[in-house]
Amino acid sequence: MTLTVAGLQHHGVLGDVEANLDLIADAARRASERGADLLVTPEMFVTGYNLGDRLAPLATPELVDRVASIAVEVGIAILAGLPEPVPGGVANALVLIDADGTELLRYRKTHLFGDLDRHLFVAGDTLPPIVELHGVRIAVLICYDVEFPETVRAAALDGADVVIVPTAQMEPYAHIAERLIPVRAWENQTPLVYVNRVGSEGDLTYVGRSSIVGPDGVVLDALDADSTGLMIATIDPEATRRARQENPYLADRRAELY
């Protein structure tokens, strides 16, 4: 089994849920026409990210239902970044919806970045379980989560065939997208899908540079710093298994020393 993944790089419309849902629906249709099984949005794409006090009123449970409706209408699975109301505030969340509208996964960002994240969000307290889509085992993280090597290593050791990372990576951290993401894929022999924003929101300027990287660290598809659009690549678990045989970091670990 394989999974063809499309990542949407876009600026979105800050605070305009209807406009952003329209963008997701349009991207879903275009991704489906190109043979994708799964569409991935950037972090917090349904509402926008840098919203300040405007965020909480937009964080409603109905957002998940709206994404699910698009998935069913188009017939494609969607991994969408959105705010989730939780006790004590709002979580920076992902929801994975299958093409039939079934919710497969909900994850709340566990590693909050700086004062901005801590002002806006309540941190999640568990890493997400592995879930299967079309027979492919998927792990998800959000933005800053991937910058901790332990998170991707945990997913690899748990048998993930791919790690998908919606993000809102901003200046001056373009090196994360350019250099760290291929290294994370290589050191874990696990494909990485890194889906970023472009443009700006308030005082944040996003660096784009979304990419899909194979288990050998080779970029399968990517977008530049300014483009909006889709990148698409097929995740093949057999390729991951071969990569782990050729580069046996996981098998050669000496966990008792660590």
Side-chain angles (χ1 to χ4, degrees):
M1 302 293 288
T2 62
L3 182 73
T4 299
V5 180
L8 172 64
Q9 179 168 287
H10 206 281
H11 46 73
V13 183
L14 186 64
D16 191 334
V17 170
E18 295 303 322
N20 293 324
L21 289 170
D22 286 345
L23 288 168
I24 292 171
D26 178 68
R29 287 188 287 269
R30 290 186 288 116
S32 181
E33 289 168 358
R34 294 176 62 181
D37 305 302
L38 171 65
L39 172 70
V40 182
T41 80
E43 178 182 9
M44 289 289 295
F45 190 75
V46 172
T47 57
Y49 176 67
N50 189 21
L51 280 162
D53 294 338
R54 297 164 59 195
L55 174 61
L58 296 176
T60 65
E62 289 75 20
L63 297 178
V64 174
D65 296 332
R66 299 291 301 280
V67 173
S69 295
I70 296 170
V72 171
E73 178 183 350
V74 179
I76 189 172
I78 299 175
L79 178 65
L82 45 74
E84 179 188 6
V86 296
V90 175
N92 180 334
L94 294 177
V95 61
L96 175 60
I97 305 292
D98 204 349
D100 64 0
T102 302
E103 182 177 321
L104 301 178
L105 175 72
R106 193 177 299 206
Y107 168 62
R108 300 166 182 167
K109 186 177 184 180
T110 49
H111 299 78
L112 299 184
F113 177 73
D115 291 339
L116 174 61
D117 263 6
R118 293 186 180 95
H119 173 70
L120 290 174
F121 304 115
V122 175
D125 56 10
T126 57
L127 289 175
I130 303 292
V131 297
E132 283 197 13
L133 183 64
H134 291 213
V136 175
R137 292 171 57 81
I138 297 173
V140 302
L141 298 168
I142 300 175
C143 197
Y144 194 43
D145 290 334
V146 79
E147 298 176 36
F148 296 83
E150 297 87 352
T151 59
V152 182
R153 179 54 53 86
L157 292 174
D158 204 23
D161 295 316
V162 61
V163 178
I164 303 178
V165 189
T167 186
Q169 189 62 266
M170 72 286 284
E171 293 180 351
Y173 304 111
H175 62 280
I176 300 296
E178 293 174 335
R179 296 195 285 278
L180 185 142
I181 296 306
V183 169
R184 282 285 177 274
W186 165 253
E187 68 189 1
N188 293 288
Q189 297 84 59
T190 302
L192 266 168
V193 180
Y194 191 73
V195 183
N196 198 17
R197 294 175 167 274
V198 291
S200 61
E201 291 181 339
D203 59 351
L204 301 182
T205 299
Y206 298 111
V207 303
R209 298 173 173 85
S210 299
S211 63
I212 302 175
V213 183
D216 54 2
V218 174
V219 175
L220 304 176
D221 199 5
L223 293 162
D224 63 22
D226 303 304
S227 297
T228 61
L230 296 173
M231 58 178 184
I232 297 182
T234 297
I235 304 302
D236 181 358
E238 284 301 320
T240 300
R241 281 188 273 275
R242 289 194 299 271
R244 290 176 179 173
Q245 291 172 349
E246 294 167 2
N247 179 28
Y249 282 155
L250 299 182
D252 288 348
R253 291 171 67 249
R254 296 188 60 190
E256 76 278 6
L257 302 180
Y258 313 147

